[in-house]
Amino acid sequence: MMLEIPQEPVKRGKNFQMAVVFRNLSEDTRTIHGFLVGSTIYYTNIQRAQFMQDIFDVTLKPHGEYGDRDVVSMFQFIGKFSALEATKLMKLIREILDMFSKLRRYAIREDLVCLCYPIIASHSHSKVPVKQQKLLTPAFNMSSSARCFGTNFLGRLKSPICSSNAEQDDHQLPKFEHFGEAVAIPRGPYSDATLECVRVDMMQNENKSDHHCHLYEGKNNILIVRRAQEFQMTLQFNQPVNPSDNFQIEFYIGIDDNVLNGTKIIISFDGSQTGNWTGRMIQQQGDACVVGITPSADAIIGKYYTSVAVIGSNGISRTQKDSGTDFYLLFNAWASNDEVYMPNEEERQEYVMNENGFIYEEESGDGRQWFYGQFVEGILDACFQILDDSHMPLVNRGDAVKVCRIGSAMMNSQDDRGVLVGNWSDDYSLGTAPTFWLGSDQILLQYVNKGPVSFAQCWVYAGTFNTFLRCLGIPARVITNFNSAHDNTGNIVTDLVFNSVGNQLELNERLTRDSIWNYHCWNEAYLSRLDLPADQNFGGWQVVDSTPQETSDGYYRCGPCSVKAIKEGMLGYQFDAPFVFAEVNSDVYKYKLNSQTGKTELLSVDTTYVGMKILTKSIGETNEPMDITETYKYPEGSSKDEETMRNAERTYKTHLQYDDEQGVAMTLEIPQERVKIGQNFQMAVVFRNLSEDTRTIHGFLVGSTIYYTNIQRAQFKQLTFDVTLKPMETSRIQVVVLAQNYMPKLGCQSNLRFVVTAKSMENNQDMTAIQIIVVNGPSLFEQMSGPAKVNQEIFVKVEFTNPFPFSLHDVRMAIQGPNFISYREKLYSEISTGASITWIESCVPTRSGNTMIYAVLDCSVLGNVQGNWAVSVQA
């Protein structure tokens, strides 16, 4: 069959002919039954109005041909279309349909006739006021649009895109759906089918355990399962099901349920299949049936509603909406055809099921315990609300890459009223200090009830985002990168600018746009990356970062970016690979600024400082760090490392040549032992003369308190010195750092930065060295009154002693233990020198197994003091 339209352009107001041609290519006679619809449309192919309908029959002999040239469309009325009022327009359409009813015309597929003038335009002989013409624009229910789409602007869409999983509460499939035209009868429509489903059992306990969803709290009355894995349902009917009975199960999500886009799923048990979900009859006994449902591997995640429909001869009769038959569908790391599939069970238990984490803040492995709490009551609903608040279309929520990217943007409130408000100052009076959070659950629950939560820094973003990912079923972990570069200029190089002041160099904080954070935390999500070329094999761990640093496609977000691509220097694949590459592997270029000309001179290049070490928590019940630096980059100086740098530089920067031959080498040695707050310590500046000549060195040291982002808070020490070195001689300059100097300048994060610059007077060689020292606070003392047993009272004691020669003011302490002790908080107005505070809490464990108790003390001088310990609860 083909539809022949006029070869010449059709003029307005002119009649024209078109034809439908049928060719019977078979050896048998064929009888064709067809239906023709003619409509006026907008250029977006959205129907404006129908003007003709007809049905037809054609009989074709074997190898015959049938063509009908009597199809005539009277487009003369179009010229008057825009000038008529609604009543006149309807009258004209009826007249046209009347005229066409006397003709035979054929069309069994849609096609378009291109007019040489816009259909909407006014007739050349009519004068239509502008106000009247405006009535011709499409009219949509904008309040309805706002509910789904989050905006009144529809663009070229005929109807709004549904972007909310929560708006289904007032929506359900019709109880009875009549086949054909609805018939008005006194008692309403009814089905002639005698079969009726009277009860649906979602078999929550059996299914949730099989799907590794048994830990989700507060959802005992609702099913939670993972896609690409069968779950079972029991259907109770009013009578035994006969082979002639026809019933189906319908699942839907959102208010715009549609089989084509996956928001409505129909499961039949008559051998037919619609879509990628499958169903099977497992058991039939009397009037009860046990069926198995397997969601597709790319199914939309979210909350689904269930109806059981019985099909009669005149219509479909459905069960009504029942919250007991709702269920949540999640990603599935256990299913090999799901894009988040993780083959190792030990890794799945750690990266999907483990609620306890550890976030590292020092290369030695020290840091903070973090409670993810992805199974806490209310967290699953909070995660889906975050997706709703982002206005992410439901049809995109089966794509883990898109969910990660949206989640990355929504964890910060920088541009979309997301979950967390960032604050890198020392003023947290309008919220909670980032150092005081114990975990993600309090943050997410507060967001659901009150909106964006104050305040966060990188580890808070990473810990909360980790909860979001694991809760939805995406394997995830928190990463800490030490000496993490923040490339503001986008050239995958970290540029530091120094002022030249006489014979001294000082770091120019204003002109140095790039920065190197002491550490930075982000997340990795485990994805197969079906959106990237298969031959590149860039699946596996992907960087996703929700700390607002740089925009990506207009929003503060980062990733997902393949870790393998970063290691190979393949920076052309989405998303945000150049930025991530710079964080872990950029070279540090140090420049000297000429204050008179404004020009810069390259002093040195450091290829090893950035990405010094990359850590994540080891698998299992341990806080030991796992060094994963080698997953991001090859060993420094190796041939593979040089190849990686060439790959990166080829596209993203011009390689700068630098002569690194030096006469004198300078390093800064810091204490091997951890420095405690209030403690004096020593460090040394070490010079090695590598030349055959005597060198005279003039040096300058600056000590500052800094935020962990390496931004200076205050200077507390300056020192100048001169050294004379004989050929091949080594000399150490001892530097004493007194607590009385740095203590008044400390903020809530106790970091000290020392920058040493030096010049060799004989050959004008400039040298720089930077070192960070983390000053550690005191400890908390924890104790329990005895062994922990389920449903038996036990006492937990937390004690703190002020070791400083000054009082501590406005000290806050919090304690929490999952399934052990709920979150509790206390405020102490003052703790004098040498005084102790003791907090004793009674608690009753609710579940056996290993758990953690989290405690934190926070004040403006100390920052946070962590105290966490593991507890084994006996049944």
Side-chain angles (χ1 to χ4, degrees), residues 193-199 233-249 268-270 280-291 308-311:
T194 58
L195 187 68
E196 180 184 354
C197 182
V198 295
R199 191 175 69 89
M233 301 168 55
T234 299
L235 309 180
Q236 188 81 35
F237 292 94
N238 62 333
Q239 62 187 33
V241 177
N242 297 317
S244 59
D245 291 325
N246 191 2
F247 73 91
Q248 62 191 29
I249 303 177
S268 299
F269 300 91
D270 57 1
R280 68 186 181 102
M281 182 71 70
I282 297 176
Q283 183 182 7
Q284 182 176 348
Q285 185 173 3
D287 53 7
C289 298
V290 179
V291 298
V308 179
V310 177
I311 303 173

Side-chain angles (χ1 to χ4, degrees), residues 4-10 16-18 113:
E4 292 182 352
I5 61 176
Q7 297 295 316
E8 298 296 324
V10 178
F16 66 91
Q17 289 188 336
M18 53 191 293
V113 177

Side-chain angles (χ1 to χ4, degrees), residues 410-623:
M410 284 299 297
M411 283 305 109
N412 65 76
S413 65
Q414 196 76 5
D415 41 29
D416 47 21
R417 282 189 57 79
V419 177
L420 283 158
V421 180
N423 186 342
W424 281 266
S425 72
D426 277 334
D427 182 6
Y428 308 119
S429 57
L430 298 179
T432 299
T435 52
F436 195 63
W437 295 113
L438 292 171
S440 311
D441 56 332
Q442 295 295 317
I443 293 171
L444 291 171
L445 294 175
Q446 184 175 329
Y447 168 76
V448 168
N449 293 318
K450 298 181 180 179
V453 179
S454 302
F455 292 104
Q457 292 178 7
C458 71
W459 69 88
V460 183
Y461 286 112
T464 308
F465 194 18
N466 213 59
T467 300
F468 173 86
L469 295 171
R470 289 189 184 183
C471 185
L472 297 181
I474 301 174
R477 60 189 185 184
V478 175
I479 307 299
T480 303
N481 177 40
F482 293 95
N483 294 350
S484 184
H486 180 177
D487 178 23
N488 274 295
T489 53
N491 60 353
I492 67 171
V493 169
T494 301
D495 300 310
L496 303 182
V497 181
F498 292 83
N499 292 330
S500 178
V501 182
N503 291 326
Q504 299 177 0
L505 292 175
E506 295 178 352
L507 182 65
N508 189 313
E509 302 271 1
R510 183 179 64 86
L511 292 182
T512 301
R513 296 190 59 197
D514 295 342
S515 61
I516 304 174
W517 295 18
N518 301 350
Y519 65 90
H520 177 48
C521 301
W522 60 70
N523 303 82
E524 285 180 355
Y526 198 85
L527 309 172
S528 59
R529 290 310 296 270
L530 302 177
D531 57 318
L532 298 183
D535 60 334
Q536 296 293 339
N537 192 27
F538 284 152
W541 288 115
Q542 312 289 317
V543 173
V544 281
D545 189 350
S546 57
T547 301
Q549 298 178 91
E550 300 293 327
T551 58
S552 174
D553 296 334
Y555 290 89
Y556 281 95
R557 58 185 170 186
C558 182
C561 170
S562 169
V563 173
K564 292 180 181 177
I566 296 302
K567 185 173 183 177
E568 301 299 332
M570 306 296 288
L571 309 186
Y573 296 102
Q574 56 187 17
F575 298 90
D576 309 309
F579 183 80
V580 177
F581 180 87
E583 287 183 300
V584 299
N585 210 7
S586 63
D587 293 339
V588 181
Y589 281 63
K590 301 174 183 178
Y591 297 90
K592 180 173 68 175
L593 175 68
N594 186 318
S595 59
Q596 295 180 341
T597 64
K599 295 181 179 180
T600 56
E601 173 190 344
L602 183 61
L603 294 176
S604 63
V605 178
D606 191 334
T607 62
T608 62
Y609 188 74
V610 168
M612 188 69 71
K613 184 182 286 188
I614 305 173
L615 299 180
T616 191
K617 178 185 173 297
S618 295
I619 294 174
E621 295 179 7
T622 175
N623 292 334

Side-chain angles (χ1 to χ4, degrees), residues 3-11 13-21 52 67-75 100 103-106 112-115:
L3 182 60
E4 292 182 352
I5 61 176
Q7 297 295 316
E8 298 296 324
V10 178
K11 300 287 186 180
K14 298 296 183 181
N15 303 341
F16 66 91
Q17 289 188 336
M18 53 191 293
V20 182
V21 180
M52 57 187 294
D68 193 316
R69 306 284 173 174
D70 294 333
V71 180
V72 181
S73 179
M74 296 293 293
F75 275 90
F100 276 101
L103 302 172
R104 295 287 291 176
R105 57 249 180 226
Y106 306 100
L112 303 177
V113 177
C114 183
L115 305 181

Side-chain angles (χ1 to χ4, degrees), residues 694-698 722-725 759-762:
T694 298
R695 298 296 188 211
T696 302
I697 308 298
H698 181 76
D722 294 286
V723 181
T724 300
L725 297 172
K759 179 186 285 292
S760 175
M761 308 307 293
E762 286 77 11

Side-chain angles (χ1 to χ4, degrees), residues 29-40:
T29 297
R30 299 293 190 217
T31 302
I32 308 297
H33 181 77
F35 181 57
L36 170 74
V37 175
S39 306
T40 58

Side-chain angles (χ1 to χ4, degrees), residues 803-818:
F804 304 112
F806 51 84
S807 297
L808 300 176
H809 298 276
D810 297 326
V811 178
R812 297 173 69 191
M813 186 182 290
I815 187 170
Q816 179 183 16

